[in-house]
Amino acid sequence: MTKKDFIPSSYIVHKTEGKVTYRSPSNIALVKYWGKKENQIPANPSISFTLDSCATTTTLSYRKLKVRGTDFSFDLLFEGKPKPDFKPKIKTFFERTEPYLPFLKDYHFTIETSNTFPHSSGIASSASGMSALALCLMELERELANDMDPSHFANKASFLARLGSGSASRSTEGPIMQWGQHKDTPESSDLFAIKYPYQVHEVFHNFQDTILLVDQGTKQVSSTLGHNLMHNHPYAEQRFDQAHKNLTNLQLVFKEGNLSEFIKIVESEALTLHAMMMTSMPYFILMKPNTLAIINKIWAFREASKTHVCFTLDAGANVHLLYPENEKEKIKQFIKNELVAYCENGQYICDQIGTGAKKL
Ligand code: PMV
């Protein structure tokens, strides 16, 4: 497929106004996307668990303009209030997606959005937010076209979400999403994410993700800046190569349910992401003392309890604890006894792998 496949030929239905709502979850990458080429094309393939509770709900109301606008016309409400600082990101999203959604300047839009997780928690809302908005726009396009093949709908929703934020391409569906061309996954594409197409052992069903909120106030390195740090990075090529290999190795891990190998890949990916930031110019350390304390606690507990809890990190200080559902009680106790003390205001969020966005 090429991006031309996402340019619609013509619409047959006339819609003057309407409203659509989607709830889209966030996702947590196992093999990380870090580094991109022009037009939001990833420098390496990535794979993620779609989450369930951490989500954005977006309602898109649309009203046809009497005369097609010269610019995009939209209002943005976040948690019921106007949020001007979110508007530039949406405008950029409209600019990037207009070639594929030629109706954008024909309507005035009101975008009402809210998150289930606290805004300042350090959980990025771009993946869930851009995915929810892309799905709302696809719903409008489906109405204008009268009908649409479900696989085209799914691919194009992910394609549009990607143009908003790369990781958003992996939030439109679930439970495991893969984005970026990978030789051992012939269906994979740089343009959109696909549902992981191979066998997944039942130990990964209902996998748990508890997000420990270590440092909620700290500003993360913006992902635009972060991805750019991979240009001319001394270890970039080796890193991209490693991501390909880790994805290949994960295929067997998923098939066999090999949790020890899963842990090695996932923790190494998290530390590599941070190593890339520490070795770029300029350099950053996004982990906090409590992030490291938690990692050491996890290692000690895993060794002593023979459980399969592991960690992963985003571009920030929060720690995602991943573990199989059948170890939930033991791990919850461990979190309460040993990890809550390292969370800011004792806060953490219990989530698990989910099936993807839903129309409400
Ligand atoms: O989607 P972006 O551009 O915000 O990049 C996200 C990058 C990471 O969250 C650090 C990794 C990933 O694959 O989600």
Side-chain angles (χ1 to χ4, degrees):
M1 272 184 114
T2 71
K3 55 187 185 182
K4 287 209 182 78
D5 296 315
F6 295 114
I7 300 176
S9 40
S10 61
Y11 297 128
I12 52 175
V13 175
H14 187 80
K15 284 278 310 175
T16 47
E17 59 183 345
K19 202 176 187 175
V20 52
T21 302
Y22 263 90
R23 179 187 196 271
S24 179
S26 183
N27 70 75
I28 181 68
L30 308 170
V31 172
K32 308 287 180 182
Y33 151 56
W34 198 243
K36 63 178 167 185
K37 304 176 198 163
E38 244 186 311
N39 302 322
Q40 302 276 100
I41 296 300
N44 66 261
S46 58
I47 193 163
S48 51
F49 283 155
T50 303
L51 296 183
D52 189 39
S53 320
C54 289
T56 298
T57 300
T58 297
T59 298
L60 180 77
S61 310
Y62 47 92
R63 180 174 42 79
K64 189 134 189 185
L65 299 165
K66 288 201 175 66
V67 187
R68 181 178 160 87
T70 49
D71 201 354
F72 304 106
S73 170
F74 66 101
D75 298 316
L76 183 84
L77 301 176
F78 177 67
E79 272 149 24
K81 295 193 193 81
K83 188 86 177 160
D85 41 326
F86 280 8
K87 284 189 92 174
K89 210 165 175 195
I90 306 289
K91 187 163 188 277
T92 305
F93 174 69
F94 282 152
E95 282 161 1
R96 289 182 188 162
T97 53
E98 198 196 4
Y100 312 100
L101 299 171
F103 59 81
L104 285 180
K105 284 186 182 145
D106 293 333
Y107 288 90
H108 175 77
F109 296 105
T110 303
I111 305 164
E112 293 168 78
T113 183
S114 61
N115 297 332
T116 56
F117 46 89
H119 179 52
S120 60
S121 60
I123 299 178
S125 60
S126 59
S128 52
M130 287 299 173
S131 160
L133 181 56
L135 283 156
C136 288
L137 290 164
M138 278 310 293
E139 201 59 47
L140 172 53
E141 174 158 86
R142 173 150 60 190
E143 297 216 16
L144 296 173
N146 200 26
D147 196 16
M148 196 180 283
D149 174 58
S151 79
H152 179 74
F153 182 97
N155 291 345
K156 186 166 173 181
S158 172
F159 170 87
L160 296 174
R162 182 196 108 240
L163 293 173
S165 174
S167 58
S169 68
R170 300 186 314 242
S171 265
T172 50
E173 294 182 275
I176 303 179
M177 296 294 283
Q178 187 171 330
W179 168 46
Q181 240 173 42
H182 176 235
K183 76 171 172 41
D184 294 325
T185 320
E187 309 87 325
S188 61
S189 170
D190 280 347
L191 298 178
F192 53 87
I194 56 166
K195 279 193 191 194
Y196 178 70
Y198 304 121
Q199 208 182 325
V200 179
H201 190 276
E202 62 180 8
V203 76
F204 293 107
H205 297 175
N206 303 322
F207 223 69
Q208 305 289 303
D209 179 5
T210 300
I211 309 163
L212 306 174
L213 304 178
V214 169
D215 195 343
Q216 306 182 41
T218 309
K219 183 122 184 59
Q220 306 201 337
V221 168
S222 86
S223 46
T224 312
L225 193 117
H227 293 295
N228 282 336
L229 293 175
M230 291 306 281
H231 293 301
N232 303 319
H233 190 293
Y235 307 129
E237 287 316 311
Q238 293 91 323
R239 158 61 198 151
F240 301 146
D241 191 42
Q242 178 196 43
H244 282 267
K245 290 191 177 122
N246 279 342
L247 258 176
T248 298
N249 294 338
L250 259 186
Q251 293 185 346
L252 191 62
V253 165
F254 277 143
K255 183 165 173 238
E256 294 182 341
N258 186 339
L259 287 173
S260 318
E261 284 305 308
F262 177 78
I263 290 170
K264 281 190 208 158
I265 294 171
V266 168
E267 292 191 344
S268 157
E269 276 287 324
L271 294 178
T272 302
L273 170 71
H274 282 253
M276 289 300 112
M277 293 183 226
M278 288 191 234
T279 49
S280 58
M281 193 56 76
Y283 39 80
F284 295 94
I285 300 182
L286 297 186
M287 286 189 250
K288 294 284 168 191
N290 283 357
T291 312
L292 274 181
I294 289 170
I295 291 174
N296 282 312
K297 286 274 178 192
I298 292 170
W299 286 344
F301 175 79
R302 189 164 73 218
E303 177 67 31
S305 64
K306 304 290 171 226
T307 54
H308 299 90
V309 58
C310 71
F311 72 86
T312 188
L313 307 165
D314 266 340
N318 293 340
V319 181
H320 288 248
L321 238 67
L322 301 176
Y323 48 97
E325 194 187 24
N326 62 10
E327 295 178 359
K328 193 166 154 179
E329 292 318 315
K330 276 192 195 158
I331 310 295
K332 288 248 157 95
Q333 214 46 57
F334 162 57
I335 294 170
K336 281 192 192 131
N337 294 346
E338 298 194 47
L339 302 183
V340 170
Y342 298 102
C343 299
E344 200 169 36
N345 306 319
Q347 276 185 294
Y348 61 95
I349 297 174
C350 295
D351 208 342
Q352 60 178 352
I353 198 165
T355 49
K358 299 266 173 321
K359 188 178 165 197
L360 302 184

